[in-house]
Structures are given as C-alpha cells and as structure tokens.
C-alpha cells in the first residue's frame, strides 16, 4: 500500500481521485496525445492515481495538449473534439465534482444539460408543456459556441462563484491547453474556446451561459420562458411580435459576451394546432432529437381526428438510427447465433426506445423495422433459405423467444 500522507497546498483527498477515476473509466476509451490506454494505466493503477493526486494537491499539476479529432455533423460538416489524456480526464473530473457540489444549486431551473438529477427527457417534456402554453418559439443555435467562449469572461464567472484560487488556477490551465493537430503541429487557444471532449467543459459552458444568458433572460424578459440544454436553446413567447423583439435583443446580448447567433439555424416557429390557426410558413422546430410540429391525432373521447402540436423522433434522427443499424457488424457475420446479435444490439434498442418512445412510437416503429429487415437478411444467409422460408423461421424464433430483442419485448416490431 502506498503512503499517501504528503504535504498539500490544495484540499484534494486521495479518495476524490479514486472516485474520479472510477467515473471516467466508464466513459470514452480514446487515448490522448501520450497514447496511454486504460490497459497501460491499469498496470500500476494505484501508483498512477497517487501521482495525479500528489500533483493536484500540491498545485503542480499541468495538463498536456489535447489531441484533435474530427467527427461528422448532421449537416455534413466536421465537429472538432479535443481529447485529453486519461490522466487529465481524471484530474478534470476531480475539480469538476468539487465545483459542481458548490455551484449547481445556482443554476436556473430550466437549464437541463449535463447536470445532476437533470436530463434531456426532462428538457423535452418542458418544451412540450411550454409549446402548449405559448404560441411562438425561438429556435436558437449559437455559432461555434464551445470554440468561442471568451477566457476572460469565463474566468470572471468562475471566480465569482468559487473563491478558491487553486480552482481558478486549474480552470485557467485547462482553458489554455494547446491542441495538437493531425499533422502534429500545436495550435494555441488565443484567449477563447473550451474543448468539446473535455470532462470539465460542459460545466464551464453551463456556468458561462448561466451568467451571459439565463440570468439576463430572467432579469429582462421574465414574461417569457426558455429551456436550455447546454447551448441548445428554445425560447417560448406569447406573440410573434414578442418573439421577434426578444430574438433581436438576444442577438445584441450575445455580441456583448462575444458570441453570435447562427443565422441559418435560428428561426421563429408557430405552434400551430386545432386552436392556433394563424398563417405562418414555419410551424416546426427540432430539439434534442425530437421534431415538434402539427400532427393528426385521434381524440380519446369520440375517435375524431384533430391537429395537435406534438413531439416525435425527428427525420434527422430517424436517418441517423437507420445508419447505425446499417453499420452493425454482427448482421454481416453468419457464424454468430441470433442470441449474440441480441446481446450486442439490446443496449442500443433499450436506449432508443426509452428515449424516443416517450411521446409517440409510430415513427420509431418504422425506424426499427430496419432491424427486422436486417434480421431477416441474416436468417436467410445463415440458413441458406429463400425469403418466404426465412420469414417463417424468424417468426418461429420470435414466437419461441418473444423477449430476445428489446423491441420485440415492448411490441415495437
């Protein structure tokens, strides 16, 4: 057992580092610029955690540069992520938890992103309720938010809510971490940006928008309502004129805090339904994977159809899920058993159904029919059957094992 009694200038305990390690260990596996994997790290877990703790608690911890990777966005462009080393993820988690315990209670009740006891489903539900009460919605998108966060304003916000100088010191070091590009060159931060991919970045983003948006909206426009999930924001207004005025004011406010609206993705939408029948070209908006728009619904009283403004999985996310289903490698391997496919797929199915199936299962059922199609093709190839016999065999399997796949179990097939 290591001797963990050393002189400290920072009030961090070894158990906090251990807890942070266990937390981030369950997350991503991608290595940072040092190439260290979890397998490498865990050859000497206790010693490595001790080194991190010793440096953090003495104030001598300095992060390495971030490794930049690019992932595709829905619009075909690339999103840049900054991948910290495994050790830096642990260190960031320690400070994040220390900060979160002290500042989360300050955040606005309608800020839902990356917070304890808050979820995307709660945010979507609040938007659904607001869309029934308010006729108009500002669907906002902030241009390159994480890349544009101003370091001076960020550090001012941190020092306002956290007195400890060592917290501000470490936040400053993480904000200033350079980025190693794919060609090996280092790019300096130049006073702005917090990396998407950093453990502490979501908390810092929430703190930044708490001061620059949430409190400002509450103070200047208490009559409107908003829902924010990180930088994904919708604002609910009573009238079109009010929405237009609030949007212009938000644009000016964001300029003051060195941010900018993404014009092509920001719009005012009308929540059209059987009660609200004004003419407006935009009657739809998307939020956290759901499309809110007018849809035909059947009355529970007399079975008549009426127009409701409701949420369903968006077309964009239906396409995304179909792409994931198409790329599942187990469907291409006929040496496997169908139970192997179920073991691999059920966690995805459970997550999709539990999230997207909350409001309407109709569109989700159509999307999940692609799973059935891939299963049918797999059965046909594995057993060398024609289409009709393969369909019959799959039906027998489903009858014998109705809970084998999660979408079978809940009737979404």
């Amino acid at each position: 057992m290591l001797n963990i009694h050393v002189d400290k200038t920072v009030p961090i305990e070894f158990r906090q580092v251990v807890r942070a390690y266990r937390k981030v260990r369950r997350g991503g596996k991608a290595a940072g610029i040092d190439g260290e994997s979890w397998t490498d790290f865990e050859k000497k877990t206790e010693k490595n955690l001790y080194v991190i703790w010793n440096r953090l608690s003495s104030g001598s911890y300095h992060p390495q540069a971030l490794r930049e990777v690019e992932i595709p966005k829905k619009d075909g462009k690339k999103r840049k992520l900054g991948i910290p080393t495994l050790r830096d993820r642990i260190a960031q988690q320690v400070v994040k938890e220390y900060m979160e315990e002290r500042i989360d209670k300050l955040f606005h009740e309608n800020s839902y992103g990356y917070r304890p006891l808050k979820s995307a489903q709660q945010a979507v539900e609040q938007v659904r309720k607001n869309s029934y009460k308010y006729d108009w919605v500002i669907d906002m998108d902030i241009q390159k938010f994480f890349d544009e966060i101003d370091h001076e304003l960020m550090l001012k916000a941190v020092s306002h809510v956290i007195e400890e100088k060592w917290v501000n010191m470490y936040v400053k070091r993480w904000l200033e971490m350079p980025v190693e590009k794919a060609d090996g060159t280092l790019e300096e931060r130049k006073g702005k940006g917090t990396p998407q991919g950093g453990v502490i970045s979501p908390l810092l983003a929430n703190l930044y928008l708490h001061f620059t948006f949430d409190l400002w909206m509450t103070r200047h426009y208490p009559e409107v309502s908003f829902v924010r999930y990180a930088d994904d924001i919708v604002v609910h207004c009573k009238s079109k004129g009010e929405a237009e005025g609030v949007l212009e004011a938000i644009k000016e406010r964001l300029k003051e805090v060195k941010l900018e609206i993404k014009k092509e993705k920001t719009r005012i939408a009308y929540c059209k339904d059987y009660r609200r029948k004004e003419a407006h070209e935009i009657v739809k908006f998307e939020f956290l994977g759901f499309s809110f728009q007018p849809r035909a619904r059947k009355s529970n009283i007399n079975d008549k159809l009426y127009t409701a403004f409701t949420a369903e999985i968006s077309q964009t996310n239906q396409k995304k899920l179909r792409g994931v289903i198409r790329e599942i490698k187990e469907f291409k391997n006929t040496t496997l058993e169908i139970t192997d496919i179920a073991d691999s797929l059920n966690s995805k199915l459970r997550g999709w159904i539990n999230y997207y199936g909350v409001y309407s299962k109709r569109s989700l059922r159509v999307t999940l029919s692609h799973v059935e199609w891939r299963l049918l093709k797999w059965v046909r190839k594995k057993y060398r059957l024609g289409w009709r016999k393969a369909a019959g065999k799959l039906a027998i399997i489903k009858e014998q094992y109705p809970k084998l796949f999660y979408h079978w179990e809940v009737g979404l097939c």
Side-chain angles (χ1 to χ4, degrees):
M1 177 67 70
L2 290 166
N3 176 16
I4 59 174
H5 299 289
V6 298
D7 292 333
K8 299 186 297 179
T9 59
V10 173
I12 291 174
E13 298 180 2
F14 184 69
R15 63 180 177 82
Q16 292 173 269
V17 178
V18 174
R19 185 173 66 229
Y21 154 70
R22 290 172 178 164
K23 177 80 173 179
V24 300
R25 182 64 178 87
R26 298 195 296 267
K29 298 179 181 179
I33 64 166
D34 60 358
E36 184 178 40
S37 66
W38 284 119
T39 302
D40 298 329
F41 185 89
E42 288 166 351
K43 289 175 181 177
K44 296 180 179 179
T45 305
E46 189 175 23
K47 179 181 177 181
N48 289 329
L49 292 177
Y50 174 80
V51 170
I52 294 169
W53 173 67
N54 193 20
R55 291 176 180 172
L56 273 176
S57 60
S58 65
S60 62
Y61 182 87
H62 287 271
Q64 293 182 265
L66 299 157
R67 181 173 65 88
E68 185 177 86
V69 298
E70 293 184 339
I71 60 172
K73 296 171 65 176
K74 290 186 290 188
D75 58 8
K77 297 179 180 178
K78 299 284 187 179
R79 173 180 283 113
K80 294 179 179 180
L81 298 183
I83 307 299
T85 64
L86 303 186
R87 294 167 188 254
D88 201 45
R89 280 179 234 173
I90 296 169
Q92 287 190 33
Q93 181 68 25
V94 171
V95 179
K96 172 184 175 285
E97 289 183 1
Y98 187 92
M99 292 178 64
E100 199 166 57
E101 289 174 2
R102 289 155 178 79
I103 68 174
D104 185 76
K105 61 188 176 184
L106 303 177
F107 291 157
H108 195 281
E109 63 179 352
N110 285 339
S111 167
Y112 291 90
Y114 309 106
R115 294 183 58 193
L117 306 179
K118 293 277 192 175
S119 70
Q121 279 189 341
Q122 290 174 333
V124 172
E125 173 62 13
Q126 189 60 53
V127 168
R128 188 191 69 81
K129 290 178 179 177
N130 286 352
S131 296
Y132 187 80
K133 291 168 57 179
Y134 296 83
D135 294 356
W136 297 85
V137 167
I138 303 169
D139 181 16
M140 280 179 51
D141 197 294
I142 300 177
Q143 182 87 16
K144 297 180 179 179
F145 170 65
F146 282 87
D147 295 334
E148 297 296 326
I149 287 177
D150 182 76
H151 288 183
E152 184 179 350
L153 291 176
M154 184 76 262
L155 291 169
K156 184 178 178 181
V158 173
S159 64
H160 187 75
V161 295
I162 298 284
E163 294 181 356
E164 292 90 334
K165 292 183 179 179
W166 65 269
V167 173
N168 288 266
M169 175 186 70
Y170 280 135
V171 169
K172 186 173 188 292
R173 288 178 187 176
W174 282 314
L175 288 174
E176 294 176 348
M177 282 187 298
V179 178
E180 183 179 86
K181 312 290 282 187
D183 61 4
T185 59
L186 286 181
E187 181 179 87
E188 299 298 326
R189 279 283 165 193
K190 298 179 181 178
K192 64 179 183 179
T194 183
Q196 292 191 66
V199 172
I200 204 168
S201 293
L203 177 63
L204 296 180
N206 268 338
L207 184 59
Y208 196 86
L209 285 175
H210 170 70
F211 285 109
T212 60
F213 182 82
D214 300 356
L215 292 185
W216 179 83
M217 282 290 294
T218 303
R219 185 163 54 248
H220 292 277
Y221 295 97
E223 71 279 5
V224 307
S225 184
F226 69 88
V227 175
R228 183 173 68 77
Y229 192 93
D231 62 325
D232 203 342
I233 306 169
V234 291
V235 181
H236 302 265
C237 301
K238 290 290 187 183
S239 69
K240 183 180 180 182
E242 182 179 58
E244 290 170 342
V246 171
L247 178 56
E248 289 305 310
I250 290 173
K251 289 178 182 178
E252 292 302 314
R253 172 57 178 170
L254 291 181
K255 286 180 183 178
E256 293 174 3
V257 296
K258 303 184 181 181
L259 295 174
E260 185 179 355
I261 285 283
K262 193 170 186 177
K263 295 179 181 178
E264 63 270 25
K265 287 196 171 183
T266 297
R267 62 186 66 192
I268 294 174
Y270 181 50
C271 302
K272 189 173 184 178
D273 61 12
Y274 73 97
R275 301 170 296 128
R276 300 175 288 199
K277 301 179 180 180
E278 292 184 31
H280 189 67
E281 61 177 336
I282 301 173
V283 292
K284 170 185 174 180
F285 68 92
E286 292 189 9
F287 183 68
L288 298 183
F290 287 89
S291 169
F292 290 79
Q293 64 189 77
R295 293 183 174 91
R297 289 289 182 265
K298 186 178 290 188
S299 171
N300 293 327
I301 300 173
N302 54 22
D303 286 342
K304 289 186 177 181
L305 292 178
Y306 69 100
T307 301
F309 194 82
T310 61
E312 279 190 6
I313 180 175
S314 68
Q315 291 286 339
T316 304
N317 280 272
Q318 289 181 52
K319 183 178 178 181
K320 181 179 177 181
L321 265 55
R322 290 196 297 269
V324 173
I325 294 166
R326 191 163 49 247
E327 295 302 317
I328 292 172
K329 61 182 183 298
E330 283 80 5
F331 284 132
K332 302 173 184 178
N333 187 348
T334 55
T335 66
L336 298 175
E337 298 301 323
I338 196 167
T339 51
D340 298 322
I341 298 176
D343 289 342
S344 174
L345 190 56
N346 273 336
S347 61
K348 290 186 177 69
L349 291 171
R350 188 172 286 105
W352 295 341
I353 292 168
N354 290 346
Y355 183 65
Y356 292 111
V358 172
Y359 299 110
S360 175
K361 294 182 172 63
R362 181 179 59 86
S363 297
L364 186 58
R365 181 179 284 107
V366 172
T367 303
L368 294 180
S369 68
H370 290 263
V371 175
E372 292 297 288
W373 172 243
R374 294 303 305 275
L375 281 172
L376 178 60
K377 289 177 68 176
W378 179 85
V379 168
R380 180 173 178 265
K381 288 182 180 180
K382 181 174 177 66
Y383 298 103
R384 300 180 181 179
L385 301 172
W387 289 109
R388 182 173 294 181
K389 288 186 177 180
K393 186 170 184 62
L394 184 59
I396 291 171
I397 294 171
K398 191 180 298 184
E399 185 177 351
Q400 291 177 333
Y401 306 101
K403 296 183 179 181
L404 181 61
F405 289 90
Y406 188 68
H407 69 301
W408 291 3
E409 181 179 347
V410 297
L412 280 175
C413 57

